Amino acid sequence: MSQDLLDYDDALAIVLQHAQPRSPHRLPLLEALGRTIVEPILSLCDLPAFDNSAVDGYAVRIQDLDHTSFIVGRELRAGQPMAGSWLPGVALRVFTGAALPPETGAVVMQEDVSVVDGRAQLSEPAALGANIRRRGEELRCGTEVAPAGVRLSPALAAAAAASGNAEVAVGGPLQLGIVVTGSELVTPGSFLPPGRIYESNGTGLAAAAGAMGLGEALVRCVPEDLEATAEAIRAMAERCDLVIATGGVSVGDHDHTHRAFEAAGFERVFWGVRMKPGKPIAFYRRGDRVAFGLPGNPLSTMVGWCVLVRPFVRKALGLPEDVWLEATAQEVIRHRPDRLEFVPVSWDGAGVRSFAARGSHMLGGLVGANALARIEAERGDVAAGEVVRIARLEWFDG
Ligand code: AMP
Ligand code: MG
């Protein structure tokens, strides 16, 4: 591995070459909440669908607009269109949302009407069009409620429903399978024997996938054993479009992941990227399946997800690449010239600060971070006031 590390940008380009946008699929609105829509939402009706009353009150005919005294006629309620004729001099008792007959000139709010002996008295004649919501005034049937590329917020879900849409198009589906390797790992919630650690990469990766709306990832934990790892990878590759194995990708005596991928029929596309954390990251393919081997250290795994797996997933879902912005370091960010480094930072819209805990076995920095800074390989410390490139950590953006 160490002789020929790939530059990160080259590794990313190779990964993206392997990501083909999948045809969109349609999900019910509530299942698609938070997802980015990949086709526009079009209105399936005029909005409003018909002229209707904006208030509870009295509807008067166009021909009677100059009158101030009316016989009170029949009631029109929401959902009950008018049947029969509307005689001159009659004001219809209408309620909000009731469909108005075409000859309606205005609706007068009930607060502005006094009813005496079956006659409705207005203090002044009604103004043409008052309190009428016009058919199509917001949207015409077939026009856009929202363009592709926006996220389905609760407001947009409501607008989609109001325009007759039960479903929206999102990218995918893309089934992720995660093979967690390590004989030291213990499931959280159980007793922790001496020398063992709680397993966290399976949770972190499955959570990252779930936050992007990928659906439930399959997760399997195996001990450091070549055959067990190969068998788990084989099983995942049967059911998943994308497989990630964590741990065992380095060059230790018990690092079986590469041979396990080979045994499972995968071809290695690259192994070793000139980046920190995550140097031993590997990328494999088998037919239209791809797989990543991510180092077991928790920060390495999660950064690997952010900078290599997530771009693959976004492209496969038909979403644009993450945007890198410029931000000013508010205090020094230590960096030894060697490898490109991704550093969790907190960004306040202009400046960034890194976190003291930066070891690849530590997750605290990433927990507090809202962006990753990219410190170029050849660069030394980033002094306060110098500019770095950052990408926001948009965990829920998929
Ligand atoms: P490895 O990449 O398997 O050599 O693991 C590197 C470091 O990450 C070791 O300290 C492991 O104990 C730790 N590690 C590996 N896998 C996990 C995991 N799933 N959850 C938490 N820590 C892990
Ligand atoms: Mg291991």
Side-chain angles (χ1 to χ4, degrees):
M1 167 181 64
S2 52
Q3 298 87 318
D4 34 42
L5 295 179
L6 260 182
D7 279 337
Y8 164 72
D9 292 312
D10 297 333
L12 177 63
I14 292 171
V15 165
L16 291 179
Q17 275 163 19
H18 287 77
Q20 296 312 323
R22 312 169 73 79
S23 37
H25 71 135
R26 303 190 71 77
L27 283 184
L29 292 173
L30 292 184
E31 283 175 41
L33 206 58
R35 300 287 305 275
T36 299
I37 58 171
V38 295
E39 289 173 3
I41 301 175
L42 304 181
S43 184
L44 301 178
C45 56
D46 286 338
L47 272 182
F50 46 86
D51 289 357
N52 70 87
S53 179
V55 295
D56 296 331
Y58 295 83
V60 302
R61 302 183 340 144
I62 295 178
Q63 296 91 329
D64 296 346
L65 275 176
D66 52 343
H67 297 205
T68 53
S69 178
F70 296 88
I71 298 166
V72 176
R74 76 186 70 177
E75 260 187 23
L76 291 185
R77 298 190 205 168
Q80 295 178 354
M82 169 96 160
S85 56
W86 186 359
L87 297 176
V90 171
L92 304 174
R93 179 71 173 117
V94 297
F95 296 92
T96 306
L100 296 170
E103 56 268 50
T104 309
V107 177
V108 184
M109 292 174 76
Q110 65 185 33
E111 292 86 337
D112 296 336
V113 177
S114 46
V115 179
V116 182
D117 297 334
R119 290 196 74 83
Q121 310 284 351
L122 318 189
S123 48
E124 55 183 354
L128 178 65
N131 299 314
I132 301 178
R133 302 164 174 164
R134 292 287 178 199
R135 172 177 184 166
E137 72 178 13
E138 185 178 4
L139 276 180
R140 285 287 175 195
C141 184
T143 57
E144 213 168 78
V145 180
V150 304
R151 293 179 68 190
L152 189 71
S153 66
L156 181 52
S163 59
N165 291 279
E167 299 178 331
V168 292
V170 299
L174 186 81
Q175 178 65 53
L176 171 64
I178 302 165
V179 177
V180 176
T181 74
S183 300
E184 73 279 34
L185 304 173
V186 173
T187 307
S190 51
F191 172 70
L192 189 66
R196 311 283 292 273
I197 62 169
Y198 284 123
E199 196 289 303
S200 62
N201 292 341
T203 299
L205 294 169
M212 288 184 76
L214 287 197
E216 202 167 325
L218 304 176
V219 184
R220 212 164 126 188
C221 297
V222 294
E224 263 150 21
D225 173 83
L226 175 58
E227 197 33 55
T229 309
E231 199 281 313
I233 290 173
R234 244 181 251 124
M236 287 297 182
E238 289 311 309
R239 298 175 59 189
C240 302
D241 308 290
L242 171 64
V243 178
I244 300 176
T246 83
V249 291
S250 200
V251 290
D253 294 346
H254 303 288
D255 290 333
H256 300 297
T257 303
H258 298 295
R259 273 169 294 143
F261 271 111
E262 268 167 36
F266 280 82
E267 167 197 357
R268 193 161 75 209
V269 183
F270 65 74
W271 177 26
V273 181
R274 194 172 296 111
M275 62 182 255
K276 184 181 174 184
K279 181 170 83 170
I281 285 181
F283 184 58
Y284 309 88
R285 67 177 165 216
R286 190 185 94 182
D288 59 359
R289 303 279 194 269
V290 300
F292 290 86
L294 299 182
N297 271 312
L299 182 65
S300 312
T301 285
M302 296 308 282
V303 168
W305 167 276
C306 291
V307 303
L308 286 169
V309 185
R310 175 186 156 93
F312 174 91
V313 171
R314 284 185 65 82
K315 186 171 172 196
L317 296 184
L319 304 176
E321 284 184 43
D322 283 321
V323 177
W324 288 83
L325 313 165
E326 294 202 328
T328 307
Q330 283 175 330
E331 51 193 31
V332 66
I333 304 175
R334 299 273 169 224
H335 179 247
R336 197 161 47 87
D338 175 18
R339 285 176 269 155
L340 174 70
E341 187 167 2
F342 293 104
V343 182
V345 291
S346 75
W347 178 60
D348 63 8
V352 292
R353 290 172 200 277
S354 61
F355 295 84
R358 277 175 57 180
S360 59
H361 57 302
M362 299 175 177
L363 283 171
L366 197 63
V367 170
N370 60 2
L372 278 183
R374 167 185 168 136
I375 317 289
E376 300 302 327
E378 62 284 359
R379 191 165 182 170
D381 289 349
V382 178
E386 288 186 342
V387 169
V388 288
R389 291 171 68 201
I390 62 162
R392 299 179 69 175
L393 281 171
E394 299 277 18
W395 296 109
F396 290 91
D397 183 6

